[in-house]
Amino acid sequence: MVAGAVTALTVALAATVPAGEASAIPLVGAAPTAPEGIGLPAGYVPPPPTYGVGLDLGQVIPLSDGTQLTATVRYPTDPSTGQRAAGPFPVIVDYTTYIGLSGVLTAAVTGAVRGALDALHVRLPDNVQDLDRIVGQATSAQDALVRRGYLEVVVDVRGTGSSTGAWNPASPTDGADGMQVVDWAAKLPNSSGKVGMFGYSFPGVSAMLTAGHSRPNSPLQAMMMFTVPNDVFKHAVSHDGMFSPVLLTVLIPAIQAMSAVAPLLNLPLTPQVAVQALIDHVRAALASPDTPLAKLVDGFGNGTYGHKDAWWSDRDFEPILHNFVDNDIPTYFVDGIWDLYQDGAFQNYAQLQNLAAGRPQFAPMDPGQRTDPRFQLLQGPWYHVGMGAGPYARMDTDPITIAWFDHWLKGVDNGIDRTSRTLHLIDQTGAGANTTAYPFAEARPTTLRLGAGTLGAASTGAPDRLAYSPVENPCNRDNFEQWTAGALQMALNLLNVNDPCAAAEIVGPPSGIAYLGDPVSEPTLVAGPANLHTYLSSTTDDAALQVHLDDVASDGGAAEITGGAQLATLRTLDDAKTWRTADGTVYSAEHRLSSADITALRPGDVVPVDIRLRPTYYRLEAGHRLRVRVTTGNFPTTMAPLPEIPKLIGSTVQIVHDPQHPSSLTVPLAPATALHP
């Protein structure tokens, strides 16, 4: 019955929603496979799993200020006896806000099911295997490592799960606590004294903060980071002044709700700690005037937490990245071109490589710069909860994790430390490439002028006017996948279906003002960050802008490549971080987003505004065109701060593109053969 329903659904989708040429893959069908071995040394094969998994539940880690963190230790067992294996073993720390015990229990159940199926020689479908792997990674249970000779410590962050104290999201305190956890883990029985950290999303944020608080000769000697930002405020909260409400509106209440339930799960194991944790969590969530929920409401209201002032600056990774280099903490990043933190991994990679080379941290990497293999990045066509999953290019990311930790924590000579091309890329067609510098040396920033509905060599035509609306055609990649973490696509993967709202335009005409370029003459990569330099005026003292960069096929079908947003009152560039070509053209804008940087527009005055388009790695087929679309909002995933909306309603933005005001798109383009010979 279920199989029949799935077949009926897929046939219906195929019949009613035909894929245009711009779709990289069909709307229905198994996902293609990523290039074999990408991101790994040539010929690498991971060692087979040789151990079982045992649990030490109810562990308590005492911190120096009296806070108690709850933890579970997972350890290798002898599969023939079930007894604890001799060791010693390196330790992997998963430092989570998502109830560590629930992940441990989930892993125990799925592991038992997997074992039973293996005994029956039943192989799970690829898409189910992907889901199983990603659930384990996201819930901090790395069976692939424990079964290959690692201890694993799954720890609840202060004020979450069953740990005592008050939760202060992504705070420096989490980093200081994390170093105490690392020291505790290094001294476990059967530990080799070497510690690595694994983190997927928020647990990755906690790990990054921990490494930022490291010291010379620390036990922390390697990190594996999936989907982490570089600037938490800019990449998770505010898209250059435009608020991104969905993630935090769901995440913060969810973590606080989980933290009210988790102590009850842990009550039989650590009753005194669990009772104190429940008291602390309820007090922090309800009794304190400065709760995470109160901060969220303040941010919605464009208050203290709606700008990158002191509170958010304390959570910025940029000032602490030097510790990764200074204290020798090799770190491998895995991320997606449609992740929530789309530019985070690229920035982390480039800044670490620059610091390792003794270059200015925020500069573009030098095209000929020799890279440090301690810092590597795999970037693929994935959403937040789907690293290595379909529908564009599926791959098992566990071998990378195994190879990385085996070398840096066990001393295995598998070649991953000798990789000369440390930046690994997969486009939406499944083609892969290995390179070094970011921005990509092979891609040339190309400037195309906005004209009368065109992108080309000249700025022509009358100004375009755009009436403010917080809503555009809701069927788009931003709303249905990127800013909702790809949760819908992860579910659709089980049906081998590509979300049609992400893959193509299927409902009504595209929103906003559109500027269409000429067809490309050969397969072309859009590779790196882009910038829309506009001259605009508004009938009020602010303007809200949402930009989409699209791939338009010869048959008119289109798919979104990347995008950006900008609140005009926060248009001031951060010159130290903004990247320009030799002639001064901005191709990667960085804005100053503090409350002190608010600069009102004068109604009717034409001013330059740069809109940063998030970096991508996307293939245009021959005959396809680039299209820029400008709207004024994309509710519910991108919107102006709430206090700005009343004055924006009824306002009009004018985009000027004449010879005196040459509005333009600067986008990095390269022949596909430059990276895919």
Side-chain angles (χ1 to χ4, degrees), residues 51 81 121 213 249 405 422 475 490 641:
Y51 298 100
T81 65
H121 304 289
H213 284 74
T249 301
F405 285 135
T422 49
C475 184
M490 197 69 234

Side-chain angles (χ1 to χ4, degrees), residues 436-454:
T436 54
Y438 179 78
F440 306 113
E442 299 85 353
R444 180 173 61 87
T446 302
T447 297
L448 304 170
R449 306 292 185 193
L450 274 59
T454 62

Side-chain angles (χ1 to χ4, degrees), residues 88-219:
F89 302 110
V91 186
I92 303 300
V93 170
D94 296 86
Y95 187 30
T96 181
T97 52
Y98 299 142
I99 313 182
L101 182 59
S102 69
V104 168
L105 297 177
T106 300
V109 172
T110 57
V113 171
R114 217 181 301 118
L117 293 174
D118 288 345
L120 296 171
H121 304 289
V122 175
R123 185 183 183 279
L124 290 171
D126 290 341
N127 48 5
V128 177
Q129 290 186 50
D130 291 342
L131 178 62
D132 178 49
R133 170 177 49 79
I134 291 166
V135 167
Q137 292 169 342
T139 57
S140 302
Q142 313 313 317
D143 277 14
L145 293 175
V146 179
R147 294 181 183 278
R148 288 171 172 81
Y150 289 84
L151 298 170
E152 183 181 29
V153 178
V154 185
V155 189
D156 291 325
V157 167
R158 175 192 295 251
T160 72
S162 301
S163 293
T164 65
W167 183 44
N168 189 3
S171 70
T173 300
D174 289 350
D177 292 351
M179 278 312 301
Q180 294 185 61
V181 170
V182 166
D183 290 339
W184 182 89
K187 297 172 185 175
L188 283 171
N190 267 2
S191 166
S192 68
K194 295 184 177 183
V195 177
M197 295 190 80
F198 182 98
Y200 193 120
S201 189
F202 216 130
V205 171
S206 303
M208 293 287 287
L209 291 165
T210 299
H213 284 74
S214 64
R215 61 183 186 277
N217 302 313
S218 162

Side-chain angles (χ1 to χ4, degrees), residues 286-309:
L286 301 177
S288 168
D290 191 28
T291 67
L293 281 174
K295 292 181 174 72
L296 179 64
V297 172
D298 177 271
F300 270 118
N302 212 25
T304 300
Y305 301 103
H307 298 93
K308 194 180 177 185
D309 293 331

Side-chain angles (χ1 to χ4, degrees), residues 216-298:
N217 302 313
S218 162
L220 180 58
Q221 297 188 21
M223 306 247 291
M224 193 77 198
M225 297 289 97
F226 282 65
T227 72
V228 295
N230 169 268
D231 182 322
V232 177
F233 178 72
K234 186 175 293 184
H235 298 155
V237 181
S238 173
H239 299 160
D240 292 300
M242 295 283 276
F243 203 58
S244 181
V246 173
L247 173 64
L248 293 185
T249 301
V250 173
L251 189 64
I252 289 178
I255 290 175
Q256 297 216 272
M258 287 189 289
S259 297
V261 173
L264 303 179
L265 294 176
N266 223 51
L267 192 62
L269 302 173
T270 57
Q272 291 181 319
V273 174
V275 169
Q276 185 60 54
L278 185 60
I279 294 170
D280 289 350
H281 298 177
V282 172
R283 181 188 296 125
L286 301 177
S288 168
D290 191 28
T291 67
L293 281 174
K295 292 181 174 72
L296 179 64
V297 172
D298 177 271

